[in-house]
Amino acid sequence: MGYKVAVAGATGAVGREILRILAERNFPADEVVALASSRSVGREVSFGEDKVLKVQNLETFDFKGCDIALFSPGAEISAKYAPKAARERCVVVDNTSHFRMEPGVPLVVPEVNADAVYKARRGIIANPNCSTAQLVVALKPLHELFRIKRVVVSTYQAVSGAGKDGMDELFAQTKGSFVHDSPDIAQFTKQIAFNVIPHIDRFLEDGSTKEEWKMAVETRKILDPDIRVLATCVRVPVFIGHSEAVSIECEKPVDLEKAWEALRRAPGVVVQDKREDGGYVTPIESVGEDPVYVSRLRVDPSVEHGLAFWCVADNLRKGAALNTVQIAECLAERNLLGPHSELWKKHERPLEPQ
């Protein structure tokens, strides 16, 4: 017997990718419902190679009878409608930032902390920020081996992290540069074509940005509350694929061969690291792929017990849609879906709408 699955935000880039991945991975669904705002009602979205779903209205949809809802409609919309779904004993996996640091809402990357799904006592599980998701997948085996104390990470984040409008702006500015058009700047604070912007999300009082704060607090919530994290998040003129240059400081002496071997064995990681021209992975090679790719692994001589590496992943897949579906698979494998599952037996009062 399969499940009834709702996908909220089904017309967006991540929503469409969720539908594609549900079909690719043969998630055990008897029925899949595509939801979006009232202006998208009646539009058609693809589900797999030969199925088309007509979009229904999220605002009026009755979640009673749904087993799981995969949300990616924007933080304010999730804040309103995710608790509505949870009150009907429909487990919500939310891809927005709204619930990530809420008490009682686990923040899950299945390769790292899959059993945290049991802690979803309020019916909602959060998907982390895309840059955090790939980082913790690479950090997990190294943390188990050497106990990480500190992480310094610089990100090179694709414009798709800002949605379809961000991708359209890069395309328009790139095309316009060849005919000497003045760049139209709307989605980013400066021209993104042929440029890099060390600013993602809003600035905080300490000079960091909200994106950098997210990486720090989310890494600690998922992996270990004692790890110190310094992030510098940069938007780059790449359509899809986030890259990260990472340096870690560990409690134990690092062994390069053991690090390589641990990463090669780690779920969700592919090591491609040859010390030669082209012996590493770049973001364009990660597009449409599921793993987090690790390259440029080397000892960091600037700190005691230091290690450095480069990692790349498709931010629309592992950073968002794939991780969301993997959480759904974790719930299904543990029999935590359905109104009579163990999850609801220990259920606390669901989150109230905001």
Side-chain angles (χ1 to χ4, degrees):
M1 175 178 149
Y3 301 104
K4 183 174 180 179
V5 181
V7 178
T11 58
V14 174
R16 290 176 182 272
E17 194 72 8
I18 287 173
L19 288 168
R20 184 179 298 114
I21 293 171
L22 283 169
E24 281 178 7
R25 294 171 73 93
N26 296 311
F27 185 80
D30 283 343
E31 182 180 356
V32 178
V33 181
L35 303 174
S37 66
S38 56
R39 66 179 179 272
S40 296
V41 171
R43 287 177 59 183
E44 294 183 341
V45 291
S46 298
F47 176 59
E49 294 183 1
D50 54 1
K51 292 183 181 178
V52 173
L53 305 176
K54 283 201 172 183
V55 174
Q56 300 182 39
N57 193 347
L58 172 62
E59 297 161 22
T60 58
F61 184 74
D62 184 357
F63 285 93
K64 190 172 184 178
C66 275
D67 298 296
I68 185 167
L70 310 180
F71 267 65
S72 191
E76 290 184 6
I77 299 172
S78 282
K80 184 175 182 179
Y81 293 103
K84 177 183 174 183
R87 284 195 296 274
E88 297 296 340
R89 298 200 167 196
C90 171
V91 182
V92 173
V93 181
D94 183 51
N95 194 55
T96 76
S97 62
H98 184 77
F99 297 104
R100 288 174 185 160
M101 301 312 296
E102 288 275 356
V105 177
L107 187 61
V108 177
V109 176
E111 296 92 338
V112 180
N113 64 336
D115 284 342
V117 295
Y118 287 107
K119 299 177 182 178
R121 303 302 185 218
R122 302 164 81 181
I124 297 175
I125 297 169
N127 198 57
N129 189 38
C130 48
S131 51
T132 304
Q134 74 182 70
L135 176 66
V136 295
V137 169
L139 291 180
K140 170 73 169 178
L142 300 174
H143 186 52
E144 289 181 339
L145 199 58
F146 305 124
R147 303 305 299 175
I148 297 170
K149 297 194 301 183
R150 180 172 182 255
V151 178
V152 178
V153 53
S154 296
T155 71
Y156 308 80
Q157 294 180 224
V159 294
S160 52
K164 180 179 180 298
D165 290 342
M167 298 175 75
D168 289 345
E169 186 158 314
L170 173 58
F171 179 79
Q173 288 181 3
T174 303
K175 186 172 67 172
S177 70
F178 292 103
V179 292
H180 306 292
D181 281 347
S182 297
D184 183 13
I185 298 171
Q187 298 303 311
F188 306 107
T189 55
K190 291 179 181 277
Q191 175 180 322
I192 185 61
F194 307 101
N195 198 17
V196 298
I197 304 171
H199 176 195
I200 301 176
D201 212 322
R202 62 184 174 84
F203 275 99
L204 305 178
E205 288 186 4
D206 66 356
S208 62
T209 64
K210 186 73 176 292
E211 184 83 357
E212 293 157 357
W213 175 84
K214 289 176 194 173
M215 289 196 73
V217 296
E218 291 176 17
T219 297
R220 289 195 288 268
K221 183 171 181 177
I222 296 166
L223 191 58
D224 188 326
D226 294 328
I227 294 177
R228 293 169 293 158
V229 180
L230 175 67
T232 301
C233 295
V234 182
R235 190 73 73 190
V236 297
V238 170
F239 285 105
I240 297 173
H242 286 357
S243 306
E244 297 173 352
V246 186
S247 294
I248 61 174
E249 182 181 358
C250 304
E251 293 179 5
K252 301 177 182 178
V254 299
D255 181 294
L256 202 55
E257 289 299 326
K258 288 181 179 178
W260 262 319
E261 186 57 33
L263 286 163
R264 289 190 183 103
R265 292 196 312 265
V269 175
V270 170
V271 178
Q272 185 170 322
D273 190 6
K274 297 180 180 178
R275 294 176 177 179
E276 60 186 41
D277 292 352
Y280 40 81
V281 179
T282 58
I284 200 166
E285 295 157 298
S286 74
V287 176
E289 301 295 328
D290 292 346
V292 174
Y293 292 93
V294 174
S295 308
R296 302 294 320 280
L297 190 67
R298 60 205 186 277
V299 169
D300 177 359
S302 68
V303 295
E304 188 176 22
H305 310 328
L307 199 65
F309 62 90
W310 168 260
C311 71
V312 175
D314 182 328
N315 57 295
L316 295 181
R317 289 183 72 90
K318 185 54 195 169
L322 173 64
N323 201 72
T324 301
V325 174
Q326 286 177 307
I327 294 170
E329 291 170 343
C330 286
L331 290 161
E333 289 163 4
R334 290 161 175 76
N335 297 313
L336 295 178
L337 297 178
H340 305 295
S341 77
E342 178 187 343
L343 193 68
W344 300 113
K345 290 176 184 176
K346 299 180 180 179
H347 185 57
E348 296 173 0
R349 190 163 66 90
L351 295 168
E352 295 297 329
Q354 310 221 341

